[in-house]
Amino acid sequence: MSDTPDLPVARTIADLRQTVSGWKRQGFTVGFVPTMGALHEGHLTLVREAGQRADRVVASVFVNPTQFAAHEDLGAYPRQEARDAELLAGAGCALMYAPAVEEMYPADATTTISVGAPAEGLEGDFRPQMFGGVALVVAKLLNQVQPHVAVFGEKDFQQLIVVRRLVRDLDIPVEIVGSPTIRDGHGLALSSRNAYLSADELEVARRLNGVLAEAGARASAGGPLPAIEAGAATALLEAGFSHVDYVAVRRAEDLGEFAGGRVDGPARVLAAAWLGKTRLIDNMAV
């Protein structure tokens, strides 16, 4: 164990488990929020939600290398542990878990996880390495912390669906809670990557939620989904986005496609689009 001025920090699995088992012996329930650091109000909302559902909250800060491809921004991903600890303490977190890569992935580790259908399509098409890495690190973290409840943001909606399927299929005894996306005053979903945007790009980024809301309204009204998705992609390009990876309306439960090409149950409209070198994702309920 080590401490920051604001919060105890566990850096090994042994220290983490010693603290958590001590809480459980006292009868406390445990909540968990996994993060990659560079925290903002969206993350802190997850911590506060976990604090409403459990007596003690652990938050992990770990930039997971297995979900980054070779060309992605692993090295550039912002790291600010002291600031993160200060923010977590203010949100009611009781312990930060900040392991080294070597603690999470010993040199001779060979196990991988393939989740299957929920990880296919959408982000899985454009970042095919990501969900295998997410599933592996989440499975390890849940096993290490052994919380009663874990809170994930709905902003990464496909990730939430993947985690729910992982927990169900592997019989991991934890409640997975999805927390609504936190947005700025203009409707832009909070993200650590927003810091990469210039002032002009930020102005364009704030149009994303409006395009998704319009697509969701058209889908809810029974419009044909291929036309709605294509129209939304065109609207994003006209708004100033440099490239659109996808706009898709899918079943909310499992992100499957609607067989009839029209919404006939709970749905989500999801998008990924680029502004220069920054890739933004967002989604909304339909």
Side-chain angles (χ1 to χ4, degrees), residues 104-186:
M104 291 295 292
Y105 298 111
D108 58 351
T110 58
T111 299
T112 60
I113 297 178
S114 176
V115 178
E120 296 170 357
L122 305 174
E123 291 298 290
D125 284 344
F126 291 91
R127 302 184 65 198
Q129 81 297 329
M130 185 181 74
F131 286 124
V134 167
L136 181 59
V137 77
V138 169
K140 289 174 70 68
L141 288 167
L142 292 177
N143 188 44
Q144 291 164 1
V145 180
Q146 297 186 2
H148 298 87
V149 60
V151 183
F152 291 78
E154 290 186 354
K155 177 181 174 291
D156 297 289
F157 196 78
Q158 189 174 10
Q159 174 179 277
L160 174 62
I161 298 300
V162 165
V163 169
R164 283 178 169 157
R165 180 64 60 87
L166 169 78
V167 165
R168 190 201 73 177
D169 289 356
L170 297 185
D171 304 310
I172 300 175
V174 60
E175 178 188 3
I176 301 298
V177 173
S179 184
T181 301
I182 302 301
R183 301 179 181 276
D184 71 9
H186 301 270

